[in-house]
Amino acid sequence: MAPIKSDQLATGHKANGRPALETATTANAGTTGRKSEGGIQGLIAKRVTAATEHALEGPNQRLLRAQRPVWEALCKYYFRLETSGWTRLPEETSLLIGVHSGGALTMDAWTFVFDWWRRFGTTRVLHPTAHDVLMAAPGLGDYFRQVGVIPASRQGVSAALSAGRDVIIWPGGDVDSMRNWRKRDQVVLAGRKGFVRQAIRSGVPIVPVASVGGHDTAFILSEGRWIANGLDRISGLKRKLRGTRMPVVLGIPFGLTIETIPTHLPLPAKIRTELLDPIEVDDDPERVNDRDYVDSIYLEVESALQDGMDRLARQRRFPIFG
């Protein structure tokens, strides 16, 4: 589960309070907004458009119940998950903002989403967001759709919030999830401020979600910018895959790999996650054009996340996996 690039978020509607959850069958994907493309870009665009159109059909509760024993065991014994701060979550529909780690398999994101479902069931639905490449991947993308993941599109996020569904995004995208292991406790939002404008237009509060431990599930030795840049000069790969990193990852079972899609099994690391105090935003639509205001909310979110991660990191008992 990789995050949306939040600068893509631009439209939305107010979500006053918590309206009854809608069972919409389409997210008004805005298919006309995508150019007709061929090759890998065309394939990605086609599958992402289809996923966006059906974004609010999920999650598949039968599938979630069937896989619950596996996730229960993983969270309890393998990742030793601790999630706190639930009492800070507002009653109203919210836009959650977090950081996530661990290369292409961001287990801190997956465990939080499972913990949310375990707590709220069908009474409060959370939609995670994922990168287009992951949503388009055969098998993986289909699984994402079944468990409620929506594509990194402004239409999908706006529709979910308007339907009274909570949404969590990770603005840092691949820059965040594929950062060097030495930066494992650093907040990386990559300067992407579209999530602030999304919250303003949708009229929802922002809830920062701090987490540490995910970056111990795989050791990213290099972010691979030089690899991505080199391949991009030859093939335009960065534009086709909408990514800027091709990290060198040390993991099992293949040892050293260059990862764009999952090539490792997550290592057993303790994951700590905390929901932080909500940040209210002005719902005046004109605020989206107020650069100073948008910057101030962005910095407030970034600062809250860093403080939360610092606090969680101090709880480690061991340098790694702890």
Side-chain angles (χ1 to χ4, degrees):
M1 186 181 303
I4 184 171
K5 291 183 178 180
S6 66
D7 280 343
Q8 295 174 335
L9 301 175
T11 61
H13 308 283
K14 287 187 177 181
N16 297 320
R18 283 198 58 78
L21 294 179
E22 298 178 9
T23 56
T25 58
T26 174
N28 298 322
T31 55
T32 57
R34 290 183 179 273
K35 294 180 180 180
S36 177
E37 296 175 302
I40 188 171
Q41 288 172 282
L43 176 62
I44 291 173
K46 182 178 179 180
R47 284 185 56 86
V48 169
T49 296
T52 304
E53 289 175 342
H54 299 280
L56 301 188
E57 292 179 358
N60 182 329
Q61 295 297 324
R62 180 179 296 180
L63 174 60
L64 293 179
R65 289 192 295 269
Q67 65 182 17
R68 178 168 184 161
V70 175
W71 280 105
E72 290 277 10
L74 286 173
C75 288
K76 184 175 182 179
Y77 300 110
Y78 200 77
F79 298 118
R80 294 162 287 150
L81 178 67
E82 291 181 4
T83 307
S84 59
W86 291 110
T87 57
R88 299 187 180 113
L89 184 66
E91 289 292 329
E92 62 189 296
T93 303
S94 301
L95 178 63
L96 288 76
I97 301 297
V99 294
H100 67 345
S101 312
L105 284 176
T106 52
M107 300 314 300
D108 43 8
W110 279 109
T111 52
F112 175 73
V113 171
F114 169 74
D115 213 14
W116 179 289
W117 176 79
R118 179 167 58 178
R119 186 178 185 88
F120 295 110
T122 59
T123 63
R124 186 164 187 173
V125 175
L126 175 68
H127 284 287
T129 50
H131 193 284
D132 281 3
V133 172
L134 296 178
M135 291 300 300
L140 183 63
D142 298 313
Y143 173 74
F144 276 13
R145 288 172 57 179
Q146 288 294 307
V147 296
V149 181
I150 61 178
S153 71
R154 68 185 70 175
Q155 295 86 3
V157 172
S158 296
L161 292 171
S162 294
R165 311 270 184 99
D166 300 282
V167 176
I168 182 167
I169 66 175
W170 296 269
D174 61 329
V175 181
D176 174 30
S177 65
M178 297 180 178
R179 67 191 186 277
N180 194 291
W181 183 84
R182 291 173 296 181
K183 303 175 183 177
R184 59 180 174 160
D185 296 330
Q186 293 181 19
V187 172
V188 177
L189 300 182
R192 296 166 180 165
K193 303 167 186 174
F195 71 87
V196 179
R197 298 183 179 92
Q198 178 70 56
I200 294 170
R201 288 194 169 100
S202 293
V204 297
I206 294 171
V207 179
V209 180
S211 187
V212 300
H215 235 41
D216 286 334
T217 63
F219 296 108
I220 297 178
L221 306 183
S222 169
E223 295 177 6
R225 282 175 287 186
W226 59 277
I227 301 174
N229 290 339
L231 288 176
D232 187 59
R233 284 193 290 269
I234 299 172
S235 62
L237 193 64
K238 287 167 63 174
R239 182 175 62 86
K240 292 177 181 178
L241 298 182
R242 292 182 52 242
T244 62
R245 303 290 191 274
M246 297 190 70
V248 179
V249 177
L250 177 63
I252 55 174
F254 302 115
L256 287 175
T257 60
I258 297 174
E259 185 168 277
T260 54
I261 60 174
T263 58
H264 71 276
L265 295 176
L267 298 170
K270 184 171 182 60
I271 295 176
R272 295 178 174 90
T273 300
E274 182 179 357
L275 288 84
L276 307 177
D277 290 325
I279 296 172
E280 299 291 339
V281 299
D282 192 334
D283 61 2
D284 179 356
E286 294 302 317
R287 281 293 202 179
V288 299
N289 300 315
D290 186 338
R291 181 176 298 178
D292 290 340
Y293 179 75
V294 171
D295 287 350
S296 69
I297 297 297
Y298 173 88
L299 292 174
E300 186 176 356
V301 173
E302 184 179 55
S303 177
L305 285 170
Q306 190 61 68
D307 289 345
M309 289 178 65
D310 290 343
R311 182 170 58 254
L312 294 174
R314 288 194 292 269
Q315 298 179 33
R316 283 197 184 98
R317 297 181 181 179
F318 307 103
I320 58 173
F321 306 143

